[in-house]
Amino acid sequence: NAGVTQTPKFRILKIGQSMTLQCTQDMNHNYMYWYRQDPGMGLKLIYYSVGAGITDKGEVPNGYNVSRSTTEDFPLRLELAAPSQTSVYFCASSSGQGPTGGYTFGSGTRLTVV
Amino acid sequence: AQSVTQPDIHITVSEGASLELRCNYSYGATPYLFWYVQSPGQGLQLLLKYFSGDTLVQGIKGFEAEFKRSQSSFNLRKPSVHWSDAAEYFCAVGAGGSYIPTFGRGTSLIVHP
């Protein structure tokens, strides 16, 4: 059981470049989330999805886009990368309505923008 | 909207000593409460959760947490810390009906031999 898989694990981007962070889960969870984690700041929600075809903004969506064409996949797109987007990105999923099941997290993508 | 505060950025304990990590939340009703642990270079792992019922919750790895409504707290405890417990610990709160918990800033646990 793979859980939540994120690729790549590490990436260095130049300012202005674009990239897609991949996230796949094999637990048939309807809810999926993207967070960024900066030192001492905890986790900030970027985007989330409650099912295929449905996405919504979180706390810090600027500079990012998402799509959810299938239950399994929830890619995060960075357009025109900026140094402020240097961070560790986590994808997570949860089952059911409400956070009763807790989240299952991927192992993260460490992104550096130079 | 809910919020959560972890007042301690770092906690240092000796191996074998007891541990208590503090978490305070702000929400009008009974929230969903969680503790997660993050080992270096890893994602977050759920330690335990509280929704209702018994206010003392047992989790994995020998951790427990107690919900105290009067103090709006959900502190994490462990009677005897092991060196492998060194990690970052996050408290999270989810409001009833919401599926998006809010995370605290985390507490870094350092364990001395």
Side-chain angles (χ1 to χ4, degrees), chain B residues 11 13-17 19 21 37-40 47 60-63 76-89 107-111:
Chain B
I11 291 282
V13 298
S14 298
E15 190 170 16
L19 170 70
L21 302 182
V37 61
Q38 183 183 32
S39 298
L47 282 176
I60 63 172
K61 304 185 179 187
F63 285 93
L76 182 71
R77 301 194 295 248
K78 187 170 185 179
S80 178
V81 171
H82 188 262
W83 64 266
S84 61
D85 293 322
E88 191 88 13
Y89 291 80
T107 297
S108 177
L109 174 64
I110 301 166
V111 180

mmCIF file of all heavy atoms in Angstrom, chain B residues 11 13-17 19 21 37-40 47 60-63 76-89 107-111:
data_model
loop_
_atom_site.group_PDB
_atom_site.id
_atom_site.type_symbol
_atom_site.label_atom_id
_atom_site.label_comp_id
_atom_site.label_asym_id
_atom_site.label_seq_id
_atom_site.Cartn_x
_atom_site.Cartn_y
_atom_site.Cartn_z
ATOM 1 N N ILE B 11 11.755 22.201 22.662
ATOM 2 C CA ILE B 11 11.728 21.566 23.973
ATOM 3 C C ILE B 11 12.904 20.599 24.022
ATOM 4 O O ILE B 11 13.088 19.802 23.085
ATOM 5 C CB ILE B 11 10.415 20.799 24.226
ATOM 6 C CG1 ILE B 11 9.247 21.763 24.381
ATOM 7 C CG2 ILE B 11 10.543 19.897 25.447
ATOM 8 C CD1 ILE B 11 9.164 22.444 25.723
ATOM 9 N N VAL B 13 14.688 17.618 26.348
ATOM 10 C CA VAL B 13 14.531 16.701 27.482
ATOM 11 C C VAL B 13 15.639 15.660 27.434
ATOM 12 O O VAL B 13 16.240 15.413 26.386
ATOM 13 C CB VAL B 13 13.159 15.995 27.467
ATOM 14 C CG1 VAL B 13 12.034 17.003 27.590
ATOM 15 C CG2 VAL B 13 13.003 15.132 26.242
ATOM 16 N N SER B 14 15.882 15.050 28.556
ATOM 17 C CA SER B 14 16.838 13.945 28.629
ATOM 18 C C SER B 14 16.117 12.643 28.349
ATOM 19 O O SER B 14 14.934 12.485 28.667
ATOM 20 C CB SER B 14 17.488 13.893 30.001
ATOM 21 O OG SER B 14 18.222 15.068 30.256
ATOM 22 N N GLU B 15 16.830 11.723 27.742
ATOM 23 C CA GLU B 15 16.245 10.419 27.464
ATOM 24 C C GLU B 15 15.776 9.786 28.768
ATOM 25 O O GLU B 15 16.503 9.793 29.773
ATOM 26 C CB GLU B 15 17.250 9.521 26.761
ATOM 27 C CG GLU B 15 16.640 8.236 26.220
ATOM 28 C CD GLU B 15 17.594 7.476 25.308
ATOM 29 O OE1 GLU B 15 18.799 7.769 25.341
ATOM 30 O OE2 GLU B 15 17.129 6.597 24.569
ATOM 31 N N GLY B 16 14.566 9.259 28.746
ATOM 32 C CA GLY B 16 13.991 8.658 29.945
ATOM 33 C C GLY B 16 13.132 9.601 30.753
ATOM 34 O O GLY B 16 12.336 9.156 31.597
ATOM 35 N N ALA B 17 13.252 10.875 30.504
ATOM 36 C CA ALA B 17 12.438 11.856 31.216
ATOM 37 C C ALA B 17 11.038 11.911 30.615
ATOM 38 O O ALA B 17 10.800 11.448 29.498
ATOM 39 C CB ALA B 17 13.091 13.226 31.154
ATOM 40 N N LEU B 19 7.616 13.900 29.168
ATOM 41 C CA LEU B 19 7.470 14.960 28.167
ATOM 42 C C LEU B 19 6.042 15.487 28.165
ATOM 43 O O LEU B 19 5.083 14.706 28.290
ATOM 44 C CB LEU B 19 7.784 14.409 26.777
ATOM 45 C CG LEU B 19 7.470 15.308 25.580
ATOM 46 C CD1 LEU B 19 8.416 16.493 25.544
ATOM 47 C CD2 LEU B 19 7.529 14.521 24.283
ATOM 48 N N LEU B 21 4.065 18.409 25.655
ATOM 49 C CA LEU B 21 4.059 19.446 24.635
ATOM 50 C C LEU B 21 2.697 20.125 24.676
ATOM 51 O O LEU B 21 1.659 19.460 24.638
ATOM 52 C CB LEU B 21 4.317 18.853 23.253
ATOM 53 C CG LEU B 21 5.621 18.089 23.074
ATOM 54 C CD1 LEU B 21 5.743 17.596 21.638
ATOM 55 C CD2 LEU B 21 6.810 18.944 23.448
ATOM 56 N N VAL B 37 3.478 13.903 14.072
ATOM 57 C CA VAL B 37 4.915 13.946 14.263
ATOM 58 C C VAL B 37 5.594 13.929 12.902
ATOM 59 O O VAL B 37 5.131 13.254 11.975
ATOM 60 C CB VAL B 37 5.402 12.780 15.137
ATOM 61 C CG1 VAL B 37 5.084 11.431 14.508
ATOM 62 C CG2 VAL B 37 6.902 12.891 15.408
ATOM 63 N N GLN B 38 6.656 14.697 12.789
ATOM 64 C CA GLN B 38 7.424 14.753 11.547
ATOM 65 C C GLN B 38 8.892 14.494 11.855
ATOM 66 O O GLN B 38 9.551 15.313 12.492
ATOM 67 C CB GLN B 38 7.271 16.106 10.865
ATOM 68 C CG GLN B 38 7.986 16.200 9.533
ATOM 69 C CD GLN B 38 7.870 17.580 8.906
ATOM 70 O OE1 GLN B 38 7.795 18.591 9.601
ATOM 71 N NE2 GLN B 38 7.833 17.628 7.587
ATOM 72 N N SER B 39 9.388 13.367 11.387
ATOM 73 C CA SER B 39 10.806 13.076 11.501
ATOM 74 C C SER B 39 11.555 13.809 10.401
ATOM 75 O O SER B 39 10.968 14.140 9.368
ATOM 76 C CB SER B 39 11.041 11.567 11.409
ATOM 77 O OG SER B 39 10.388 10.908 12.477
ATOM 78 N N PRO B 40 12.840 14.073 10.590
ATOM 79 C CA PRO B 40 13.601 14.838 9.591
ATOM 80 C C PRO B 40 13.489 14.251 8.191
ATOM 81 O O PRO B 40 13.690 13.055 7.985
ATOM 82 C CB PRO B 40 15.035 14.755 10.123
ATOM 83 C CG PRO B 40 14.875 14.589 11.597
ATOM 84 C CD PRO B 40 13.648 13.745 11.778
ATOM 85 N N LEU B 47 -0.271 10.874 15.178
ATOM 86 C CA LEU B 47 -0.015 10.230 16.464
ATOM 87 C C LEU B 47 -1.316 9.835 17.152
ATOM 88 O O LEU B 47 -1.446 8.727 17.671
ATOM 89 C CB LEU B 47 0.754 11.169 17.391
ATOM 90 C CG LEU B 47 2.252 11.328 17.170
ATOM 91 C CD1 LEU B 47 2.796 12.389 18.130
ATOM 92 C CD2 LEU B 47 2.985 10.011 17.353
ATOM 93 N N ILE B 60 -0.183 6.284 19.106
ATOM 94 C CA ILE B 60 0.906 5.361 18.795
ATOM 95 C C ILE B 60 2.184 5.797 19.487
ATOM 96 O O ILE B 60 2.280 6.934 19.983
ATOM 97 C CB ILE B 60 1.126 5.273 17.268
ATOM 98 C CG1 ILE B 60 1.551 6.628 16.700
ATOM 99 C CG2 ILE B 60 -0.133 4.778 16.567
ATOM 100 C CD1 ILE B 60 1.977 6.590 15.253
ATOM 101 N N LYS B 61 3.149 4.906 19.537
ATOM 102 C CA LYS B 61 4.488 5.180 20.067
ATOM 103 C C LYS B 61 4.470 5.585 21.539
ATOM 104 O O LYS B 61 5.388 6.257 22.007
ATOM 105 C CB LYS B 61 5.190 6.266 19.245
ATOM 106 C CG LYS B 61 5.291 5.950 17.765
ATOM 107 C CD LYS B 61 6.106 6.986 17.023
ATOM 108 C CE LYS B 61 6.196 6.621 15.548
ATOM 109 N NZ LYS B 61 7.127 7.512 14.807
ATOM 110 N N GLY B 62 3.440 5.196 22.286
ATOM 111 C CA GLY B 62 3.377 5.480 23.713
ATOM 112 C C GLY B 62 2.920 6.875 24.078
ATOM 113 O O GLY B 62 3.004 7.283 25.242
ATOM 114 N N PHE B 63 2.436 7.641 23.121
ATOM 115 C CA PHE B 63 1.960 8.995 23.390
ATOM 116 C C PHE B 63 0.493 9.001 23.809
ATOM 117 O O PHE B 63 -0.282 8.131 23.421
ATOM 118 C CB PHE B 63 2.118 9.876 22.141
ATOM 119 C CG PHE B 63 3.537 10.286 21.879
ATOM 120 C CD1 PHE B 63 4.346 9.532 21.045
ATOM 121 C CD2 PHE B 63 4.053 11.434 22.460
ATOM 122 C CE1 PHE B 63 5.660 9.900 20.799
ATOM 123 C CE2 PHE B 63 5.363 11.819 22.217
ATOM 124 C CZ PHE B 63 6.165 11.053 21.381
ATOM 125 N N LEU B 76 0.122 17.082 24.653
ATOM 126 C CA LEU B 76 0.658 15.760 24.335
ATOM 127 C C LEU B 76 1.649 15.347 25.417
ATOM 128 O O LEU B 76 2.497 16.158 25.822
ATOM 129 C CB LEU B 76 1.358 15.807 22.968
ATOM 130 C CG LEU B 76 1.946 14.507 22.446
ATOM 131 C CD1 LEU B 76 0.823 13.541 22.028
ATOM 132 C CD2 LEU B 76 2.861 14.775 21.253
ATOM 133 N N ARG B 77 1.576 14.086 25.835
ATOM 134 C CA ARG B 77 2.457 13.613 26.904
ATOM 135 C C ARG B 77 3.049 12.256 26.567
ATOM 136 O O ARG B 77 2.479 11.469 25.785
ATOM 137 C CB ARG B 77 1.681 13.506 28.219
ATOM 138 C CG ARG B 77 1.053 14.797 28.693
ATOM 139 C CD ARG B 77 0.606 14.695 30.128
ATOM 140 N NE ARG B 77 -0.462 13.731 30.316
ATOM 141 C CZ ARG B 77 -1.705 14.045 30.659
ATOM 142 N NH1 ARG B 77 -2.034 15.311 30.825
ATOM 143 N NH2 ARG B 77 -2.613 13.100 30.835
ATOM 144 N N LYS B 78 4.197 12.020 27.177
ATOM 145 C CA LYS B 78 4.806 10.699 27.114
ATOM 146 C C LYS B 78 5.589 10.511 28.409
ATOM 147 O O LYS B 78 6.356 11.390 28.797
ATOM 148 C CB LYS B 78 5.728 10.561 25.897
ATOM 149 C CG LYS B 78 6.239 9.139 25.712
ATOM 150 C CD LYS B 78 6.945 8.954 24.388
ATOM 151 C CE LYS B 78 7.317 7.482 24.195
ATOM 152 N NZ LYS B 78 7.991 7.220 22.889
ATOM 153 N N PRO B 79 5.409 9.387 29.095
ATOM 154 C CA PRO B 79 6.037 9.214 30.401
ATOM 155 C C PRO B 79 7.547 9.056 30.355
ATOM 156 O O PRO B 79 8.241 9.458 31.288
ATOM 157 C CB PRO B 79 5.364 7.951 30.964
ATOM 158 C CG PRO B 79 4.784 7.255 29.792
ATOM 159 C CD PRO B 79 4.491 8.295 28.766
ATOM 160 N N SER B 80 8.076 8.491 29.281
ATOM 161 C CA SER B 80 9.515 8.260 29.197
ATOM 162 C C SER B 80 9.944 8.415 27.747
ATOM 163 O O SER B 80 9.580 7.613 26.883
ATOM 164 C CB SER B 80 9.865 6.864 29.722
ATOM 165 O OG SER B 80 11.252 6.617 29.595
ATOM 166 N N VAL B 81 10.745 9.433 27.488
ATOM 167 C CA VAL B 81 11.121 9.762 26.114
ATOM 168 C C VAL B 81 12.315 8.920 25.661
ATOM 169 O O VAL B 81 13.258 8.690 26.422
ATOM 170 C CB VAL B 81 11.451 11.265 26.006
ATOM 171 C CG1 VAL B 81 12.050 11.580 24.648
ATOM 172 C CG2 VAL B 81 10.200 12.080 26.225
ATOM 173 N N HIS B 82 12.266 8.500 24.421
ATOM 174 C CA HIS B 82 13.361 7.750 23.800
ATOM 175 C C HIS B 82 14.050 8.654 22.798
ATOM 176 O O HIS B 82 13.450 9.585 22.253
ATOM 177 C CB HIS B 82 12.771 6.504 23.112
ATOM 178 C CG HIS B 82 13.793 5.549 22.595
ATOM 179 N ND1 HIS B 82 14.199 5.534 21.285
ATOM 180 C CD2 HIS B 82 14.499 4.573 23.223
ATOM 181 C CE1 HIS B 82 15.108 4.594 21.112
ATOM 182 N NE2 HIS B 82 15.311 3.995 22.272
ATOM 183 N N TRP B 83 15.336 8.373 22.527
ATOM 184 C CA TRP B 83 16.077 9.232 21.590
ATOM 185 C C TRP B 83 15.385 9.308 20.226
ATOM 186 O O TRP B 83 15.450 10.318 19.536
ATOM 187 C CB TRP B 83 17.511 8.736 21.413
ATOM 188 C CG TRP B 83 17.627 7.372 20.788
ATOM 189 C CD1 TRP B 83 17.724 6.177 21.430
ATOM 190 C CD2 TRP B 83 17.620 7.066 19.383
ATOM 191 N NE1 TRP B 83 17.780 5.142 20.530
ATOM 192 C CE2 TRP B 83 17.732 5.654 19.270
ATOM 193 C CE3 TRP B 83 17.553 7.829 18.224
ATOM 194 C CZ2 TRP B 83 17.762 5.022 18.039
ATOM 195 C CZ3 TRP B 83 17.582 7.193 16.992
ATOM 196 C CH2 TRP B 83 17.689 5.799 16.914
ATOM 197 N N SER B 84 14.697 8.232 19.852
ATOM 198 C CA SER B 84 14.029 8.213 18.547
ATOM 199 C C SER B 84 12.802 9.123 18.503
ATOM 200 O O SER B 84 12.218 9.314 17.433
ATOM 201 C CB SER B 84 13.611 6.784 18.196
ATOM 202 O OG SER B 84 12.715 6.282 19.157
ATOM 203 N N ASP B 85 12.397 9.673 19.639
ATOM 204 C CA ASP B 85 11.267 10.605 19.642
ATOM 205 C C ASP B 85 11.658 12.006 19.187
ATOM 206 O O ASP B 85 10.783 12.865 18.994
ATOM 207 C CB ASP B 85 10.651 10.693 21.045
ATOM 208 C CG ASP B 85 9.993 9.396 21.476
ATOM 209 O OD1 ASP B 85 9.372 8.740 20.615
ATOM 210 O OD2 ASP B 85 10.092 9.041 22.673
ATOM 211 N N ALA B 86 12.947 12.261 19.031
ATOM 212 C CA ALA B 86 13.385 13.567 18.559
ATOM 213 C C ALA B 86 12.786 13.831 17.182
ATOM 214 O O ALA B 86 13.006 13.066 16.232
ATOM 215 C CB ALA B 86 14.904 13.624 18.489
ATOM 216 N N ALA B 87 12.002 14.906 17.076
ATOM 217 C CA ALA B 87 11.266 15.195 15.844
ATOM 218 C C ALA B 87 10.537 16.519 16.019
ATOM 219 O O ALA B 87 10.641 17.176 17.055
ATOM 220 C CB ALA B 87 10.262 14.076 15.541
ATOM 221 N N GLU B 88 9.795 16.887 15.005
ATOM 222 C CA GLU B 88 8.915 18.058 15.066
ATOM 223 C C GLU B 88 7.501 17.568 15.315
ATOM 224 O O GLU B 88 7.049 16.616 14.662
ATOM 225 C CB GLU B 88 8.972 18.824 13.742
ATOM 226 C CG GLU B 88 8.320 20.185 13.754
ATOM 227 C CD GLU B 88 9.273 21.282 14.200
ATOM 228 O OE1 GLU B 88 10.488 21.031 14.268
ATOM 229 O OE2 GLU B 88 8.784 22.393 14.493
ATOM 230 N N TYR B 89 6.800 18.225 16.235
ATOM 231 C CA TYR B 89 5.449 17.813 16.597
ATOM 232 C C TYR B 89 4.471 18.934 16.282
ATOM 233 O O TYR B 89 4.694 20.090 16.643
ATOM 234 C CB TYR B 89 5.380 17.441 18.079
ATOM 235 C CG TYR B 89 6.139 16.173 18.389
ATOM 236 C CD1 TYR B 89 7.519 16.182 18.549
ATOM 237 C CD2 TYR B 89 5.480 14.953 18.483
ATOM 238 C CE1 TYR B 89 8.223 15.020 18.795
ATOM 239 C CE2 TYR B 89 6.173 13.779 18.738
ATOM 240 C CZ TYR B 89 7.548 13.828 18.884
ATOM 241 O OH TYR B 89 8.238 12.658 19.115
ATOM 242 N N THR B 107 6.465 22.198 17.399
ATOM 243 C CA THR B 107 7.428 22.212 18.485
ATOM 244 C C THR B 107 8.513 21.204 18.163
ATOM 245 O O THR B 107 8.214 20.034 17.881
ATOM 246 C CB THR B 107 6.774 21.835 19.826
ATOM 247 O OG1 THR B 107 5.789 22.802 20.165
ATOM 248 C CG2 THR B 107 7.832 21.770 20.935
ATOM 249 N N SER B 108 9.744 21.663 18.198
ATOM 250 C CA SER B 108 10.875 20.788 17.919
ATOM 251 C C SER B 108 11.348 20.148 19.217
ATOM 252 O O SER B 108 11.694 20.850 20.167
ATOM 253 C CB SER B 108 12.009 21.591 17.282
ATOM 254 O OG SER B 108 13.134 20.762 17.061
ATOM 255 N N LEU B 109 11.350 18.821 19.241
ATOM 256 C CA LEU B 109 11.775 18.085 20.432
ATOM 257 C C LEU B 109 13.213 17.615 20.256
ATOM 258 O O LEU B 109 13.533 16.911 19.294
ATOM 259 C CB LEU B 109 10.869 16.884 20.679
ATOM 260 C CG LEU B 109 11.302 15.963 21.820
ATOM 261 C CD1 LEU B 109 11.246 16.704 23.147
ATOM 262 C CD2 LEU B 109 10.441 14.708 21.873
ATOM 263 N N ILE B 110 14.048 17.999 21.194
ATOM 264 C CA ILE B 110 15.441 17.577 21.222
ATOM 265 C C ILE B 110 15.611 16.652 22.419
ATOM 266 O O ILE B 110 15.194 16.982 23.533
ATOM 267 C CB ILE B 110 16.372 18.798 21.340
ATOM 268 C CG1 ILE B 110 16.138 19.728 20.150
ATOM 269 C CG2 ILE B 110 17.836 18.361 21.422
ATOM 270 C CD1 ILE B 110 16.746 21.104 20.331
ATOM 271 N N VAL B 111 16.224 15.496 22.182
ATOM 272 C CA VAL B 111 16.416 14.508 23.248
ATOM 273 C C VAL B 111 17.905 14.338 23.502
ATOM 274 O O VAL B 111 18.665 13.945 22.599
ATOM 275 C CB VAL B 111 15.785 13.149 22.874
ATOM 276 C CG1 VAL B 111 15.994 12.152 24.006
ATOM 277 C CG2 VAL B 111 14.307 13.318 22.572
#
